[in-house]
Amino acid sequence: MSFDRRTFIKGTSLAGLTLMAPGIIGRAKADDTIRLASILDQSGGLDIYGKPMADATTMAVDEINAAGGLNGKQVELINYDPQSNIQFYTQYATKAAAGDKAHVVHAGITSASREAIRPTLGRFKSLYFYNTQYEGGVCDRNCFCTGSTPAQTVEKLVPYAMNKFGKKVYIIAADYNYGQITAQWVKKYVTDNGGEVADIEFFPLDVTNFGPTIKKIQAAKPDMVWSALVGGAHISFYRQYAAAGMNKSVPIASTTFGVGNEHKLISADEGDGILAAYTYFQEVPGDDNAAFVKRFQDKFGADAPYLNELAARSYEGIQFWAEAVRKAGTADRMPVIEALESGISLAGPSGPISIDPKTHHGVLNVYLAELKDQTFNIVETHNEQPPSDTLLVCDLKANPDQAKFYFENGLEAAGIK
Amino acid sequence: MDLVIALALQIVYGIASLVLISLGLAIIFGMMRVINLAHGEFLMLGGYTVVISTNQGVNIWFAMLVLAPLVVGLIGVLVERLLIQFLYGRMVDTLLATWGLSLLFVGLVTSIFGAQTATTISPPLGAIQIGDYSSSAYELFLIGVTVVLLLLVYAVLKLTKLGLVARATMQSDDMASALGVSTKRIYMITFGLGAAVSGLAGGLLAPVTGVLPSIGATYIAKAFITVISGGASILAGTTAASVLLGGINGIMAFLTGPTLGEVALLAAAIILIRLLPTGITGRFFRKSL
């Protein structure tokens, strides 16, 4: 190994810089690339949601880089897997914000994980995107929620389903804040449309025996069942419901069935006829979406998961941010927030969508679909639906200095006790 | 009246499924004092065996009743040879080792088959009608299988030479080996048998609950609670605890909803362990199997 004066000086000066001034290095690093941190569960119980989201994130960043990056800079994707463990979320969020000095953090699946990291990212002044459908109510200048909220999907699906099946509804939901709040919105819209709620039942996430509930549904004789069940264990409900012969007589509508790709996990016979509403389905018509689906399948091969709302939102969430960085001419936080608040819009796979400046939520297209042979057939489209539930409590234009989560207030403002 | 029959059936099914998910654990724990934290993953592997072989065109009954216990039983023997046999008598170490094993199985299955598995196998039997109520005929079948399985395990332990030697080893392994019994072999066979029963249960439950790499976690807590509440006797303990806990869970779930059903099950188990620290069979049916 040769060792001359020149390399010696290079080496020692570099080492000296590293030791003396980490701040300088940090800034030097900031000039080279734009850093995007992604924190999504790719193992553990939530991986059925996290893996497609992580794949879509990778694809979005790769495509931006292949097209020459943002403002001439490459985007560096820093990927963390919190393993369905909230503790890792706070740890990785701190690392992404303080250690990596990420320009933006796209993170979180459950509401619990979002609320664990949102204050941290606010404190470190790291821009935060949450790309999952959730119960609504986040009102935070530093945070953009691109997923759908109950008012967007439930409001549209309830009248359609009641028209088709009947007015007496039996609600079953997962027993945590998303399920509890969604069930209340369903109840409100059922009553608003002149219907009647037979009963509401909540299930802990690890329940796999739905026998007693199926008997109760049979005793109550509803016209339809509304499911806000969540997670791998709850898929057994649809199987047991079909095994008791109930899926033929009392149909199911849901705004959670399909987002964990449940329709691919149960057989065609068990799933036929289920109604669902999302702001994206892989089956959404249009050339943009066809091209998106093809690129995704080419990239991830035959094993590519079904593209659901979560995956599309993750992809479009990054596109929203990228569009704002281009518009602002920089990846610095405040200019990007202001660019996003200027009412930025996008022609993504799910159609033309935009960011609502008042709530920092997505104005999204809502699709209603019926399941047949494990494929969703779109039966109704509602373009550019505002997040009307969060709009009731949140106005960041009038009062930008807030970082709140209006957990109950959204329900209260809508007149739900 | 229809409702009472339908509900009674439902509760019996709840009890039977508790017996199914706990029996394999009870055999391994009761005979060998090994706490197998990978028990949930044995169930999961049984489920995967059924799903994969039926997707390959194997008859579903054959896959559930023969292949699942066979495959998981062999895995159990392997695990015992490679891991457990070095850890007998070291309870904390086996806890740690089997916990690691459970993480390994979940990770392996996830990396081979992915986080979501296309489990499009449906219960192979239709619905039956009880007046205004309909039930799954497959649930009746599961109740039947559970009874047969209990009888089978009883017969093996009570009537065969293997059972006799196994019970002797369980009571005093020093004395058994002094009398010429290869206790090593007995432990290996027992562990394999326990794993096979878990595999069978996992296979039978696969059409009802579906299969995911992480599904074991939903079984393991209930299986442990049942086995600990039951106490030292494998069959009498598991059955008695299942009847008590499953009954309470079923009735409360129907009256108030599933959340309180689970709470009632756990509360009953806590009170039971407080009053009978050695489990039901520590006080009652002490001479039973």
Side-chain angles (χ1 to χ4, degrees):
Chain A
M1 190 181 130
S2 72
F3 193 77
D4 57 30
R5 193 169 47 97
R6 197 166 286 166
T7 44
F8 175 75
I9 289 173
K10 261 192 202 160
T12 44
S13 55
L14 200 72
L17 272 175
T18 320
L19 286 172
M20 286 185 306
I24 297 174
I25 303 289
R27 240 168 279 152
K29 201 169 148 195
D31 286 331
D32 300 338
T33 56
I34 299 174
R35 286 175 305 282
L36 183 154
S38 160
I39 312 175
L40 295 167
D41 305 293
Q42 291 147 68
S43 52
L46 292 170
D47 56 4
I48 61 168
Y49 304 113
K51 284 204 162 169
M53 293 175 79
D55 286 349
T57 302
T58 309
M59 182 162 108
V61 172
D62 286 355
E63 286 183 7
I64 289 170
N65 284 333
L70 295 174
N71 307 329
K73 285 181 194 166
Q74 290 284 297
V75 178
E76 184 194 344
L77 173 63
I78 306 161
N79 201 350
Y80 292 106
D81 175 10
Q83 302 158 32
S84 308
N85 182 338
I86 298 285
Q87 206 186 324
F88 284 126
Y89 263 101
T90 33
Q91 197 179 319
Y92 288 143
T94 311
K95 193 154 177 258
D100 306 329
K101 301 219 180 327
H103 292 94
V104 65
V105 179
H106 289 253
I109 299 177
T110 60
S111 296
S113 67
R114 181 196 66 239
E115 288 312 301
I117 62 176
R118 199 170 54 80
T120 310
L121 295 171
R123 220 168 28 246
F124 283 106
K125 299 203 183 319
S126 286
L127 180 58
Y128 174 37
F129 271 75
Y130 176 61
N131 301 314
T132 316
Q133 65 160 339
Y134 82 112
E135 64 279 4
V138 169
C139 191
D140 182 343
R141 185 120 197 256
N142 190 50
C143 174
F144 288 84
C145 303
T146 64
S148 62
T149 57
Q152 285 171 310
T153 49
V154 174
E155 184 188 17
K156 295 293 175 283
L157 186 56
V158 166
Y160 181 87
M162 281 171 62
N163 233 341
K164 188 161 177 172
F165 301 141
K167 292 197 175 300
K168 193 172 173 190
V169 183
Y170 196 105
I171 303 173
I172 51 175
D175 194 6
Y176 72 108
N177 63 351
Y178 177 78
Q180 295 269 359
I181 292 176
T182 304
Q184 294 307 321
W185 283 105
V186 174
K187 188 179 172 192
K188 171 187 156 56
Y189 288 122
V190 167
T191 325
D192 285 358
N193 284 287
E196 173 201 352
V197 172
D199 201 355
I200 306 182
E201 268 197 89
F202 296 102
F203 299 84
L205 287 172
D206 59 351
V207 166
T208 52
N209 182 10
F210 289 88
T213 299
I214 291 172
K215 294 290 171 303
K216 275 167 97 169
I217 294 174
Q218 290 173 343
K221 296 189 175 53
D223 296 318
M224 62 184 264
V225 169
W226 189 288
S227 155
L229 297 174
V230 173
H234 283 183
I235 297 173
S236 32
F237 169 77
Y238 304 103
R239 296 171 174 283
Q240 291 166 19
Y241 196 69
M246 289 292 290
N247 59 336
K248 303 279 186 283
S249 53
V250 183
I252 301 174
S254 173
T255 52
T256 55
F257 179 89
V259 86
N261 293 352
E262 286 89 345
H263 59 296
K264 298 287 182 195
L265 302 180
I266 65 173
S267 70
D269 193 47
E270 288 165 332
D272 278 358
I274 294 180
L275 286 178
Y278 287 109
T279 58
Y280 177 80
F281 287 97
Q282 182 167 303
E283 294 85 356
V284 162
D287 295 341
D288 278 354
N289 183 48
F292 170 68
V293 173
K294 188 176 181 318
R295 289 201 306 277
F296 188 80
Q297 286 172 348
D298 288 348
K299 190 172 177 78
F300 295 102
D303 295 335
Y306 172 86
L307 278 163
N308 53 38
E309 159 159 348
L310 298 180
R313 287 281 86 76
S314 302
Y315 180 84
E316 289 173 341
I318 290 174
Q319 300 292 354
F320 267 131
W321 166 79
E323 198 55 43
V325 170
R326 282 190 205 104
K327 198 169 170 186
T330 167
D332 291 346
R333 186 178 78 112
M334 270 328 282
V336 172
I337 290 180
E338 277 155 16
L340 283 160
E341 283 173 344
S342 68
I344 213 154
S345 61
L346 187 74
S350 72
I353 52 176
S354 58
I355 293 278
D356 168 49
K358 275 188 176 171
T359 57
H360 285 197
H361 281 56
V363 177
L364 306 164
N365 302 324
V366 173
Y367 300 94
L368 311 188
E370 185 176 340
L371 190 64
K372 176 85 187 144
D373 289 334
Q374 297 190 314
T375 306
F376 280 113
N377 297 311
I378 291 169
V379 290
E380 252 184 54
T381 304
H382 300 269
N383 283 330
E384 302 187 49
Q385 294 300 311
S388 52
D389 41 8
T390 311
L391 269 169
L392 289 172
V393 289
C394 181
D395 189 350
L396 287 163
K397 249 181 167 170
N399 179 13
D401 271 339
Q402 43 179 340
K404 285 217 177 95
F405 175 32
Y406 292 96
F407 176 69
E408 301 286 352
N409 295 10
L411 295 174
E412 258 174 47
I416 303 170
K417 280 191 207 89
Chain B
M1 190 60 207
D2 295 342
L3 180 62
V4 174
I5 295 173
L7 196 63
L9 203 64
Q10 197 57 58
I11 290 168
V12 174
Y13 168 71
I15 293 167
S17 66
L18 264 189
V19 172
L20 263 185
I21 61 175
S22 339
L23 193 57
L25 185 73
I27 290 173
I28 291 174
F29 178 68
M31 307 263 309
M32 314 166 71
R33 299 284 131 189
V34 168
I35 296 182
N36 177 24
L37 279 182
H39 174 68
E41 280 60 43
F42 282 170
L43 291 163
M44 179 267 288
L45 290 171
Y48 267 89
T49 309
V50 170
V51 169
I52 289 155
S53 49
T54 41
N55 285 351
Q56 298 296 320
V58 177
N59 179 287
I60 186 168
W61 298 106
F62 181 74
M64 285 194 305
L65 297 172
V66 181
L67 277 184
L70 205 65
V71 169
V72 181
L74 283 175
I75 293 173
V77 169
L78 264 179
V79 166
E80 201 274 345
R81 282 293 86 185
L82 296 175
L83 191 70
I84 307 293
Q85 66 153 325
F86 307 109
L87 302 171
Y88 285 125
R90 295 155 62 184
M91 196 174 259
V92 177
D93 296 345
T94 46
L95 264 176
L96 205 60
T98 51
W99 187 47
L101 191 69
S102 100
L103 295 179
L104 176 77
F105 279 142
V106 173
L108 271 181
V109 171
T110 308
S111 53
I112 297 171
F113 302 109
Q116 318 170 0
T117 309
T119 53
T120 51
I121 49 165
S122 311
L125 299 168
I128 49 159
Q129 207 68 28
I130 307 165
D132 280 351
Y133 297 87
S134 56
S135 253
S136 161
Y138 189 70
E139 290 181 357
L140 285 181
F141 167 74
L142 283 186
I143 296 171
V145 170
T146 309
V147 173
V148 171
L149 190 66
L150 284 172
L151 291 175
L152 209 67
V153 173
Y154 180 83
V156 167
L157 286 178
K158 199 81 182 179
L159 305 177
T160 66
K161 176 134 185 275
L162 175 73
L164 185 71
V165 175
R167 282 186 291 142
T169 310
M170 180 166 87
Q171 274 180 6
S172 164
D173 57 345
D174 288 349
M175 190 57 75
S177 70
L179 291 171
V181 174
S182 166
T183 49
K184 261 184 142 180
R185 238 185 81 222
I186 292 298
Y187 279 138
M188 184 181 79
I189 293 171
T190 317
F191 198 89
L193 213 72
V197 170
S198 310
L200 177 69
L204 287 168
L205 288 172
V208 187
T209 57
V211 189
L212 293 166
S214 53
I215 196 86
T218 61
Y219 296 128
I220 186 101
K222 274 189 191 162
F224 265 101
I225 292 165
T226 311
V227 171
I228 302 293
S229 307
S233 304
I234 300 169
L235 292 175
T238 310
T239 314
S242 298
V243 168
L244 187 71
L245 300 177
I248 289 174
N249 182 12
I251 293 167
M252 284 303 281
F254 183 80
L255 291 180
T256 61
T259 311
L260 283 181
E262 302 278 290
V263 171
L265 187 153
L266 295 174
I270 291 169
I271 295 167
L272 192 79
I273 294 296
R274 181 68 191 83
L275 297 178
L276 307 169
T278 47
I280 296 173
T281 49
R283 171 77 57 90
F284 311 105
F285 326 108
R286 288 175 74 166
K287 293 268 150 81
S288 56
L289 261 177

